[in-house]
Amino acid sequence: MTEDGLTWKAQAEALAEALIENQSLSFLTTDAEGKTDAVTGVSISVNGFIDLAAQCMKQAAGLEPAQEDPFAGAKLTDGTYEAKTSEPDSNGFTDVVTLTVKDGAITEASND
């Protein structure tokens, strides 16, 4: 459990569910510490999730990594996409986000 309530895993699952519901990351606004009020119960920094989920969505949309807006009307291609941080964080953890796209929509998401 974090000092603010839900366990990290429960917060990561809530983020993943919110992404599936919204089919976009545009709902996730963050403050200077990378925290958001957009998902109830989530008090962890979400910047890593946003960056990695965006990478997965770019893969699914067939966009080059240099393109800035993966959500500009691009159709997502069915498949499973994964992105992970290149280095562990200060606690030794490596973030991994996996998205599954079916019929052009995100149907599964995980943030491990």
Side-chain angles (χ1 to χ4, degrees), residues 12-29:
E13 289 171 350
L15 277 172
E17 287 299 317
L19 174 60
I20 293 168
E21 180 180 321
N22 287 278
Q23 294 294 305
S24 170
L25 292 168
S26 61
F27 74 98
L28 276 175
T29 57

Side-chain angles (χ1 to χ4, degrees), residues 49-77:
F49 175 78
I50 292 170
D51 292 343
L52 295 174
Q55 287 180 37
C56 289
M57 292 178 80
K58 286 177 183 179
Q59 292 172 34
L63 298 175
E64 295 297 319
Q67 290 177 289
E68 290 299 316
D69 188 359
F71 319 110
K75 182 182 182 314
L76 301 180
T77 302

Side-chain angles (χ1 to χ4, degrees), residues 6 8 24 28 42 51 65 69-70 78 91 98 104:
L6 298 175
W8 188 95
S24 170
L28 276 175
V42 174
D51 292 343
D69 188 359
D78 291 356
N91 295 315
T98 306

